[in-house]
Amino acid sequence: MKSQNSAIAAIVQSEQEQVLSEWLAESNLGSSKGSEQGRTADAKKVLKGFLEGILADAEPERFEDKAWDALRQVLSELSAARAAQGASAGETSVFVLSMKKPFFSRLQGSFQNDVNALVGAIWWTSTLVDKMAQFTINTYQRTREEIINRQQQELLELSTPVIKLWEGVLAVPMIGTLDSNRTQLVMETLLQRIVDTGSELAIIDITGVPTVDTLVAQHLLKTVTAIRLMGAECIISGIRPQIAQTIVHLGIDLQGITTKATLADALSLALKTTGYVVTKPRA
């Protein structure tokens, strides 16, 4: 084993508690982001993976090597957990970078009579800790992107609910801008609900859609076509005067598609189409 590896391994094995204490004090990582006990446990896991790589005589420049697998796994879990807790990437990287100080002070004592060896050991340690910090930042960013994508997907699903208005009648109130991904989700959800409920008619309400252009109209036409292929019919409601003028101005052909100004009108037509008659009881 190389001299710097032996010296660093000896420090971890013989002075772990002191290193941990100085590390946590130096990191000063937001005490509001988890308990002291939890941060100590995280630091111990990092030190364990750190020691495994050193004992395997691994090189910090090759941080992707198998010898560092355990350390990378611990850092991944740490980054993911802190991202979920709301800690920033900077806070997480500072936590790792703060390892340097307790090791540097001890390496000075180990190589006080050999300046070249001291410089080499400090450079070796600094390179490894920098690699660790960069790895945590990359992992943090991936985790945050996954969280954001998942939240966007959940919001998209919440914004396009399929509601059963009456026996055999479904409705999809559209709110916001329609794009390809959202239209695909609406189509898949609506078609599945038609199969599950055996509904004969679906109402797509676009009252909450701010503008209708050629692309939006194409998305609606594709959805209507898919609904008809499933053996059901479709009514588009929420055709406001501005939207009607825009559709005419753009030359969009909605012939053969039933449209209504309001969701109430569409529901009334749907009930008649399916054979229901709604009457007021006499006083």
Side-chain angles (χ1 to χ4, degrees):
M1 184 184 295
K2 296 177 182 178
S3 59
Q4 68 265 21
N5 292 54
S6 299
I8 297 168
I11 291 171
V12 177
Q13 292 170 325
S14 62
E15 301 184 63
Q16 180 174 336
E17 293 303 320
Q18 296 91 325
V19 169
L20 281 172
S21 178
E22 291 180 27
W23 175 12
L24 292 173
E26 181 67 21
S27 71
N28 202 19
L29 180 62
S31 57
S32 61
K33 301 298 184 183
S35 65
E36 184 71 24
Q37 185 178 10
R39 292 188 294 121
T40 301
D42 289 339
K44 285 182 177 180
K45 291 177 183 177
V46 172
L47 273 184
K48 183 179 178 182
F50 184 81
L51 180 60
E52 286 184 21
I54 293 170
L55 292 176
D57 218 18
E59 291 293 337
E61 293 84 359
R62 302 177 62 180
F63 193 63
E64 69 283 354
D65 284 358
K66 185 174 178 61
W68 298 116
D69 280 355
L71 180 56
R72 290 199 307 272
Q73 180 63 32
V74 171
L75 293 174
S76 293
E77 294 172 357
L78 174 68
S79 298
R82 296 203 179 280
Q85 292 168 4
S88 68
E91 288 175 327
T92 307
S93 64
V94 165
F95 176 66
V96 175
L97 290 170
S98 299
M99 288 180 67
K100 290 184 179 183
K101 187 173 180 179
F103 279 102
F104 285 1
S105 60
R106 285 166 175 76
L107 286 171
Q108 284 181 319
S110 301
F111 296 101
Q112 58 183 343
N113 298 321
D114 189 343
V115 175
N116 290 332
L118 173 61
V119 171
I122 289 178
W123 177 257
W124 192 97
T125 306
S126 182
T127 301
L128 176 57
V129 176
D130 288 345
K131 291 278 187 181
M132 292 166 59
Q134 185 61 50
F135 182 82
T136 60
I137 291 175
N138 293 338
T139 305
Y140 178 95
Q141 289 174 337
R142 287 196 302 271
T143 303
R144 291 296 295 173
E145 287 172 2
E146 290 171 1
I147 292 173
I148 291 170
N149 290 335
R150 185 172 66 251
Q151 290 174 339
Q152 287 177 336
Q153 184 66 22
E154 290 171 354
L155 287 172
L156 188 59
E157 292 173 357
L158 288 173
S159 66
T160 53
V162 178
I163 304 166
K164 184 175 181 179
L165 293 180
W166 202 270
E167 189 65 35
V169 181
L170 299 176
V172 183
M174 305 293 292
I175 300 174
T177 305
L178 287 178
D179 56 25
S180 299
N181 291 335
R182 191 173 180 199
T183 304
Q184 183 65 29
L185 178 62
V186 170
M187 190 184 299
E188 291 175 358
T189 306
L190 182 55
L191 294 181
Q192 186 59 49
R193 286 282 284 162
I194 288 173
V195 172
D196 294 340
T197 61
S199 299
E200 305 169 5
L201 204 149
I203 300 172
I204 299 177
D205 183 67
I206 61 171
T207 303
V209 177
T211 57
V212 173
D213 54 19
T214 305
L215 187 60
V216 171
Q218 288 175 350
H219 291 324
L220 291 174
L221 291 173
K222 288 179 182 178
T223 304
V224 171
T225 301
I227 291 170
R228 287 176 171 173
L229 289 173
M230 296 296 296
E233 284 299 322
C234 182
I235 300 173
I236 297 178
S237 65
I239 306 293
R240 305 184 299 278
Q242 299 89 338
I243 290 181
Q245 291 176 23
T246 301
I247 290 174
V248 173
H249 178 71
L250 294 175
I252 299 170
D253 185 9
L254 294 182
Q255 289 186 1
I257 299 176
T258 304
T259 59
K260 289 293 180 181
T262 66
L263 179 59
D265 293 339
L267 177 58
S268 177
L269 176 60
L271 293 177
K272 291 179 182 178
T273 303
T274 52
Y276 289 98
V277 178
V278 179
T279 58
K280 274 187 178 181
R282 293 184 179 181

